[in-house]
Amino acid sequence: MSKILLVAINACYNHTNLAVRTINEYIDKKNLVSFDEWTINQPVGDILRGIVEKEPALVIFSTYIWNAEITQKVICNLKKILPEVVIGSGGPEIGFCADYYLKKIEALDFVIYGEGEATSKELVDLFEKVQGDGKKFAQNLESVKGLFIRKDGKGTFTGERTLICNLDEIPFAYPQITDPDNRIYYYESSRGCPFTCAYCMSSIDKKVRFTSLERTFKDIQKFLDANVRLVKFVDRTYNLGEDRYIAIWEYILKHHNKKTMFHFEIEAEFLSEKALDFLQKVPKGVMQFEIGVQSSNKQTLESVGRSPNIEKLAANIRRIPKTIHSHLDLIAGLPHEDLETFGKSFDFVMDLRPDALQLGFLKVLHGTKMESYSEKNGWVWMEHPPYETLSTPYLSYKDIIFLKDVEKLLDAYWNSGSFITVMEYIFSKTSPWNFFYKLVCISRAKEVFIQPRKEQFWFELLAQILFDKEFSEINSETATELLRFDFIKSGKKGGFPSWYEHRYNKDNHRLALEQNGGIDNSRIGFAHSDYEEFNINPLEKENWENKSENKNPCKMLLIYPRRDNPEQDYKQVILKI
């Protein structure tokens, strides 16, 4: 019998597609069903060849906004090569606008609506029943619930399918874990979301279902035993049910392997006292959080169905210890937010000092409340995926592209983590929004955005603009010293750029190594360290501008991680001598 192929086209190599793996395990007919993965960066021809060489009779694609366009191209051309093949697709992008895609893509035979496991299993049962006859299979699709099929030139729905209530029925998606160091493993311990954010697909499915704790612990242990580097929980809101979510954290902490990082998307406002107390004992390298702030404008938050209690949100975020990497999100293009109010939201988030701030742009997704709201109230957005906002009644297109430039500079100067010391000083003198607003204007005049830039460029640019009259509130000498510190502490340099004054003394370097036990082997000691002098002590924030405390140079030894022993020297050590 001909085979069934589940196809995933991922954003990049290190992503693993949870959907095709889960469905493949749920169907559990390895002799008949298989899956394969490609990336959006591969040529359409390569993907087509890979599919055709497997000689499938039925192909089902996993479709999201990031792969919808390339998936469409593959589907259209696949039918030309294999005219008898039956082609289906499922996923959040295509499932909620099935009529649109069935009209647009003539080669597409059906669309899976919503949850895919039970529907896919029934499709396979039908495929077996007709003995792989594609024509008979297509003729009998109406018998399968949860599908939109092409009929009489439009999509016909075969009827709602009952959701899987007991998620323990769904097998673990990764019976074999390969390349644990380089691939991200996605994991789902719940489905649905009780919140009603207008722009989010998850708000459509309000019934929350969970895997049992026993099952979740068992799955987590498999990741730990395999030494997976990063596991991302895709639960839309992880911290639902205090006893449950804390129990999972407790298990992770108790059984941690000193390597695996677990990623959670949380609603920080709703972290309980017990949870916040527990987090204080979480060491570095165990957890990271993604927290949606989206806006600090209360009118904006209320209009999209989010809690306006930003005071509680901020208080809870401040209580999350720095041992947990925290990634905070803002969305540009929401109702009632112009450039000025967005700047206030920007400062609100940056004042919380996140490890990273993701500046996103509103995507008007099919099937969400935001779609109908935007149609009625004058939003303009891209016709095709990713459906990103182009303008709103509050933000012009020029404002949007200005924020795009802010995003680039934010990634370079904050999210990279390479400029933390100098940025802390700058933000003590001016607001983060004021700094980035002026920096965009200066960068545009210097044509900074006409091509991609490497890290060294961003150091050089900042070294120049620190003396610009637009930043008169910043002490350029202090800022330059801190910029030098950020530059040299990031790693051993093969050479120094023209803006950097390297105050080096080899005898002091040797003495510093001897005093700090780093001279077991002279050649290795020098190769993995550097010596520098500063007019201020970069480690003493309170004395950065205290002239009475800065009479003598600060002599500093910097010891870098060693490639031959990364476990021992994983943390960068900076020692004052």
Side-chain angles (χ1 to χ4, degrees):
M1 186 185 292
S2 301
K3 299 295 179 73
I4 299 169
L5 182 65
L6 309 176
V7 174
I9 305 176
N10 300 328
C12 56
Y13 162 77
N14 67 344
H15 289 196
T16 54
N17 185 287
L18 181 60
V20 295
R21 284 175 165 78
T22 299
I23 290 171
N24 188 55
E25 294 304 312
Y26 186 84
I27 295 171
D28 193 24
K29 292 183 179 178
K30 305 298 191 297
N31 62 321
L32 180 63
V33 184
S34 64
F35 73 88
D36 212 336
E37 295 176 284
W38 288 269
T39 78
I40 59 174
N41 300 309
Q42 291 179 264
V44 170
D46 288 358
I47 301 172
L48 275 172
R49 176 176 176 173
I51 295 172
V52 172
E53 285 178 345
K54 294 182 182 295
E55 301 181 343
L58 170 61
V59 183
I60 304 176
F61 290 84
S62 176
T63 313
Y64 301 84
I65 57 173
W66 65 81
N67 71 1
E69 289 196 23
I70 191 170
T71 298
Q72 179 182 334
K73 292 176 183 177
V74 172
I75 289 173
C76 292
N77 287 289
L78 180 60
K79 203 78 163 186
K80 293 177 183 178
I81 303 167
L82 300 176
E84 301 302 318
V85 73
V86 180
I87 301 175
S89 184
E93 162 56 20
I94 201 165
F96 290 97
C97 46
D99 280 338
Y100 169 79
Y101 277 103
L102 285 169
K103 291 176 183 176
K104 185 176 182 181
I105 310 173
E106 290 187 8
L108 186 62
D109 296 298
F110 66 88
V111 170
I112 297 174
Y113 174 79
E115 205 166 61
E117 288 86 2
T119 301
S120 296
K121 191 174 190 306
E122 213 170 295
L123 285 167
V124 172
D125 291 341
L126 173 62
F127 188 82
E128 286 185 299
K129 183 178 179 180
V130 301
Q131 298 181 329
D133 186 320
K135 193 171 183 179
K136 286 185 179 178
F137 177 81
Q139 290 172 346
N140 287 276
L141 283 174
E142 284 186 81
S143 65
V144 179
K145 297 289 187 184
L147 295 180
F148 280 90
I149 59 176
R150 178 178 283 104
K151 188 176 181 180
D152 300 327
K154 61 180 182 179
T156 298
F157 188 45
T158 62
E160 291 282 352
R161 176 176 293 281
T162 303
L163 296 174
I164 299 172
C165 293
N166 180 12
L167 295 188
D168 285 9
E169 294 176 10
I170 301 173
F172 184 62
Y174 308 99
Q176 294 181 329
I177 294 177
T178 58
D179 202 1
D181 285 321
N182 298 308
R183 305 207 78 175
I184 300 171
Y185 282 82
Y186 296 91
Y187 179 72
E188 182 178 52
S189 75
S190 70
R191 289 183 177 179
C193 181
F195 301 108
T196 56
C197 303
Y199 48 79
C200 183
M201 298 295 296
S202 299
S203 64
I204 297 171
D205 179 10
K206 295 180 177 61
K207 183 177 180 180
V208 183
R209 296 155 288 151
F210 301 95
T211 57
S212 67
L213 281 175
E214 181 182 3
R215 165 63 190 280
T216 304
F217 295 160
K218 186 178 178 181
D219 292 347
I220 287 172
Q221 193 59 52
K222 290 176 182 176
F223 290 127
L224 293 170
D225 290 344
N227 287 312
V228 170
R229 181 180 61 85
L230 178 59
V231 176
K232 280 195 169 186
F233 276 63
V234 296
D235 304 38
R236 298 316 302 159
T237 301
Y238 170 76
N239 54 311
L240 298 174
E242 177 188 74
D243 291 341
R244 183 179 188 278
Y245 75 79
I246 294 177
I248 295 172
W249 284 345
E250 287 174 336
Y251 184 92
I252 290 171
L253 206 55
K254 182 178 179 181
H255 298 86
H256 199 254
N257 57 8
K258 310 297 182 186
K259 179 178 179 179
T260 305
M261 176 73 79
F262 290 88
H263 175 103
F264 303 95
E265 294 186 31
I266 66 168
E267 284 284 350
E269 179 188 341
F270 303 110
L271 285 172
S272 66
E273 282 296 314
K274 183 179 177 182
L276 290 165
D277 288 342
F278 172 83
L279 293 177
Q280 306 312 308
K281 59 185 179 183
V282 176
K284 191 173 182 180
V286 178
M287 297 180 192
Q288 61 185 31
F289 288 167
E290 182 173 348
I291 302 169
V293 176
Q294 320 312 12
S295 174
S296 67
N297 186 333
K298 294 191 177 188
Q299 185 182 10
T300 295
L301 293 170
E302 288 176 336
S303 70
V304 294
R306 288 185 64 84
S307 168
N309 193 350
I310 59 173
E311 296 81 10
K312 178 70 179 298
L313 174 69
N316 283 359
I317 291 173
R318 288 193 175 97
R319 288 182 61 185
I320 297 172
K322 284 300 179 182
T323 54
I324 297 173
H325 181 96
S326 293
H327 173 145
L328 273 55
D329 297 341
L330 278 180
I331 297 178
L334 294 175
H336 310 294
E337 192 146 79
D338 56 18
L339 213 55
E340 181 181 353
T341 57
F342 185 85
K344 293 177 181 178
S345 293
F346 188 92
D347 281 340
F348 174 84
V349 173
M350 286 303 295
D351 285 346
L352 297 171
R353 293 298 186 267
D355 294 295
L357 192 171
Q358 179 172 308
L359 200 172
F361 294 81
L362 177 66
K363 296 174 177 61
V364 183
L365 303 178
H366 291 295
T368 62
K369 292 179 182 178
M370 196 67 216
E371 182 182 31
S372 56
Y373 182 96
S374 299
E375 288 173 346
K376 294 176 183 176
N377 292 283
W379 263 249
V380 178
W381 65 94
M382 294 178 179
E383 182 178 346
H384 303 290
Y387 310 114
E388 200 167 90
T389 296
L390 299 173
S391 68
T392 79
Y394 311 94
L395 288 173
S396 67
Y397 179 67
K398 286 186 177 181
D399 293 334
I400 293 286
I401 59 174
F402 184 89
L403 291 175
K404 289 282 185 180
D405 289 344
V406 171
E407 180 189 25
K408 291 174 186 174
L409 295 177
L410 178 69
D411 285 341
Y413 286 114
W414 185 259
N415 294 341
S416 69
S418 299
F419 299 83
I420 294 299
T421 317
V422 68
M423 286 296 112
E424 282 289 354
Y425 171 70
I426 290 172
F427 296 161
S428 73
K429 298 298 178 182
T430 186
S431 78
W433 175 250
N434 186 53
F435 170 76
F436 280 107
Y437 188 98
K438 291 180 179 178
L439 187 57
V440 167
C441 297
I442 294 171
S443 297
R444 284 182 167 186
K446 292 179 176 289
E447 298 186 332
V448 164
F449 302 114
I450 62 173
Q451 65 186 63
R453 304 291 185 174
K454 294 183 178 180
E455 185 178 80
Q456 183 127 329
F457 171 86
W458 299 117
F459 274 101
E460 188 169 344
L461 176 66
L462 191 55
Q464 293 173 8
I465 66 96
L466 288 173
F467 293 88
D468 194 286
K469 62 182 181 180
E470 289 291 338
F471 297 106
S472 57
E473 67 272 34
I474 297 171
N475 185 315
S476 56
E477 293 180 5
T478 299
T480 300
E481 288 297 282
L482 297 173
L483 183 65
R484 289 176 63 241
F485 174 70
D486 280 330
F487 181 78
I488 198 169
K489 77 179 176 68
S490 63
K492 186 73 175 178
K493 309 301 178 188
F496 290 87
S498 58
W499 67 267
Y500 187 96
E501 180 186 354
H502 189 24
R503 303 166 196 153
Y504 183 71
N505 184 303
K506 188 172 183 179
D507 291 336
N508 282 354
H509 191 173
R510 180 180 295 275
L511 179 61
L513 284 169
E514 291 173 347
Q515 290 176 351
N516 292 284
I519 198 70
D520 295 338
N521 179 303
S522 179
R523 182 180 61 82
I524 294 176
F526 276 99
H528 291 278
S529 67
D530 211 331
Y531 172 86
E532 187 58 274
E533 295 184 359
F534 300 93
N535 293 334
I536 58 175
N537 185 342
L539 303 179
E540 295 181 357
K541 184 176 180 179
E542 64 277 9
N543 291 322
W544 282 348
E545 291 189 298
N546 189 339
K547 302 300 182 183
S548 62
E549 297 292 331
N550 300 331
K551 294 179 181 178
N552 300 314
C554 171
K555 301 174 181 180
M556 189 171 288
L557 172 71
L558 299 103
I559 301 176
Y560 306 114
R562 283 170 52 171
R563 292 180 182 176
D564 61 337
N565 197 350
E567 292 298 324
Q568 179 181 343
D569 297 316
Y570 181 75
K571 294 182 179 178
Q572 176 177 287
V573 181
I574 304 171
L575 303 170
K576 178 185 176 184
I577 61 169

